Amino acid sequence: MKLYQKYPIQLSNSLSGVKEPFEPITPGFVGMYVCGPTVYNNVHLGNTRTFLTFDIISRYFRFLGYKVRYVRNITDVGHLVGDVDEGEDKIGKKARLEQLEPMEIVKRYTEDFHTVMRQFNILPPSIEPSATGHIVEQINITKKLIDLGLAYEVNGSVYFDVKKYNQSHHYGILSGRNIEELMESGRELDSQDEKREKIDFALWKKASPEHIMRWPSPWGDGFPGWHIECTVMSTKYLGETFDLHGGGMDLKFPHHECEIAQATGANGKTPVKYWIHSNMLTVNGQKMSKSLGNSFLPAELFTGNHPMLQKGYSPMTVRFFMLQSHYSSTLDFSNEALNAAEKGYKKLSNALSLVKTLTHAGGASANADTEKKLLQLIDECYQNMSDDFNTAKTLAVLFEMASQINTWAGQKEMLSEVSTDVFEKFKITYIAFMEEALGLKEEKSVNNDLLEGTINVLIGLRKRVRTDRNFALSDKIRDDLKAIGIQLKDGKDGEMSYEIES
RNA sequence: GGUCUCGUGGCCGAGUGGCUAGGCUGAGCUCUGCAAAAGCUCCUACAGCGGUUCGAAUCCGCUCGAGACCUCCA
């Protein structure tokens, strides 16, 4: 029996609006697509939360034994700036401002994105396709939509005919809108606009003469519209219908709605079985976003180099902080919350180091109640994660497990209350959920052999003067080290450990 | 204006009809030569009003408040 059969996943499907059992299209396999970053700027912390959410989801699918293909794109053709009529893409604009080649911009921010992902221990996707690498496919699907009568060309640009599509399908099925309301509200169609209806959206845009990013097409030189790349790349690598599509809440409308319309229109079938949207990171209750100017760069957070931050916080602290809430809730960002997260994470991390050193001596006289309790904790880890990837509930269980680990570390004789088998299961589960499922690794405070060796010399010295009951000297060693940020901790058995304070 | 979400103890944040979430902070105790760490105990909330129910933080209605989307954003 596979783990995914023992602990079947339930997930909230944005499309249906309810929590449903997850049943992949092909048993044992999961195909998932997530809208990746637009690489014309540094990723900020809010972006990171979305990618962390889907890192957890893909990790947990694999953890339960599914074979996962995770596709996350790089948008390197900029989305249109402001008014569509300006016909200029963001990457082109930025390039001109900074006097750089578009691909130079793309390269720089893609590198930055990957660096940040690694810092947060967010695993790379299986495939990371780029929009510019799929221009031909985007042109082909646009042609197909024209042939099907669902798109029309005007002056070298091609638009999707939403009204036409809506005659046979429901445009708005994901975001719960109806086309009449959409046509009444919002921006008015201005005289310059080539679109038949304001709700129509571009599949292909004509490039103005000064436009840098341009490709030849049946309609002249231009570049692909905003939504088409995701449809093309998800279909190409995952098929015309695939299991799961994710992204930030703010992409639900119009981006994902348009994806559904394009794909359904072109292929005649529903493209995605489950949609998952992760909620926003907020600052003082307001969405963190580039345009509002309240965003943090990960690097600023790590160093504490930002007016709103009292100090720096490590990547794992931030990862833990985000996992304390459910991905579907907004999460408010504050110094206080981060300080609390730092301590909480340290507790779990210490227990992780500790449990690795614990071994069972064998020959136990097991206490049935204790064993039952431990086995229940193990079970709860799986139950909680399988319940819509509830990392917050899972962490609560891990805290209980950490207390147990600390108790054992302090009183080794208590290990005899459990059998070797149960102990090993418990140990393996704690390590696996921390490191594999949640991706919370130990942060080595020392990565310098010379320093480590030096501290160990001092520890050896202190052990000796302590045996001699020379407490004045032993306290001096401890106090002096403390003054430079090294905290010595005396164990029960005369052993000493240390911790570098940040 | 339209569509939708949320409002939990000092702070953060799970939880959807009955059973103490958890973390951080604070107080006390135990262990320790003294610390630190750790363990134990305590501080018991659900915006307001009304309704459904044997019973509601959880369902329904209204009020107040906050936010998101409708325009580029994860």
Side-chain angles (χ1 to χ4, degrees), chain A residues 397-421:
Chain A
V397 179
L398 290 177
F399 272 107
E400 287 188 50
M401 293 175 87
S403 289
Q404 180 62 249
I405 291 164
N406 284 327
T407 301
W408 280 334
Q411 298 164 266
K412 298 233 165 51
E413 65 279 4
M414 286 185 74
L415 273 169
S416 64
E417 284 188 359
V418 294
S419 66
T420 311
D421 182 51

Side-chain angles (χ1 to χ4, degrees), chain A residues 44 46 279-296 308 330-334:
Chain A
H44 69 251
N279 217 135
M280 300 292 107
L281 188 63
T282 59
V283 183
N284 297 323
Q286 222 181 16
K287 175 182 170 181
M288 181 182 283
S289 80
K290 271 173 289 209
S291 40
L292 289 171
N294 62 352
S295 63
F296 287 82
M308 276 187 70
T330 54
L331 173 63
D332 200 60
F333 178 94
S334 70

Side-chain angles (χ1 to χ4, degrees), chain A residues 6-61:
Chain A
K6 189 173 178 191
Y7 298 104
I9 292 175
Q10 299 269 127
L11 50 78
S12 297
N13 188 355
S14 309
L15 190 59
S16 64
V18 294
K19 210 187 268 187
E20 308 175 6
F22 176 74
E23 282 157 12
I25 293 160
T26 309
F29 291 81
V30 177
M32 59 186 280
Y33 185 90
V34 171
C35 292
T38 304
V39 284
Y40 67 92
N41 228 319
N42 292 309
V43 282
H44 69 251
L45 208 62
N47 305 318
T48 307
R49 186 183 186 207
T50 297
F51 302 126
L52 173 61
T53 295
F54 294 101
D55 182 49
I56 293 292
I57 290 173
S58 63
R59 276 172 183 268
Y60 192 64
F61 277 132

Side-chain angles (χ1 to χ4, degrees), chain A residues 414-470:
Chain A
M414 286 185 74
L415 273 169
S416 64
E417 284 188 359
V418 294
S419 66
T420 311
D421 182 51
V422 171
F423 170 75
E424 285 301 325
K425 256 189 202 143
F426 186 91
K427 177 175 172 174
I428 288 167
T429 304
Y430 186 81
I431 296 172
F433 270 87
M434 282 291 287
E435 294 185 337
E436 288 172 48
L438 298 182
L440 291 168
K441 57 184 182 185
E442 294 168 76
E443 278 177 331
K444 291 267 181 285
S445 46
V446 187
N447 45 17
N448 181 332
D449 291 343
L450 199 59
L451 177 60
E452 194 173 356
T454 309
I455 295 171
N456 281 328
V457 168
L458 288 165
I459 284 179
L461 205 60
R462 180 154 181 278
K463 277 184 188 168
R464 262 185 75 177
V465 298
R466 243 163 66 96
T467 330
D468 297 341
R469 301 190 69 79
N470 182 349

Side-chain angles (χ1 to χ4, degrees), chain A residues 291-324:
Chain A
S291 40
L292 289 171
N294 62 352
S295 63
F296 287 82
L297 259 35
E300 293 170 332
L301 189 60
F302 301 152
T303 58
N305 185 20
H306 189 281
M308 276 187 70
L309 293 169
Q310 295 161 349
K311 54 172 279 200
Y313 300 94
S314 73
M316 284 303 109
T317 294
V318 180
R319 189 175 170 109
F320 170 83
F321 164 70
M322 291 185 179
L323 295 182
Q324 270 186 303

Side-chain angles (χ1 to χ4, degrees), chain A residues 367-384:
Chain A
N367 177 315
D369 285 348
T370 308
E371 290 205 332
K372 193 180 161 198
K373 197 190 95 193
L374 298 184
L375 290 171
Q376 194 182 326
L377 289 174
I378 292 170
D379 197 57
E380 281 173 14
C381 287
Y382 287 95
Q383 300 285 3
N384 290 335

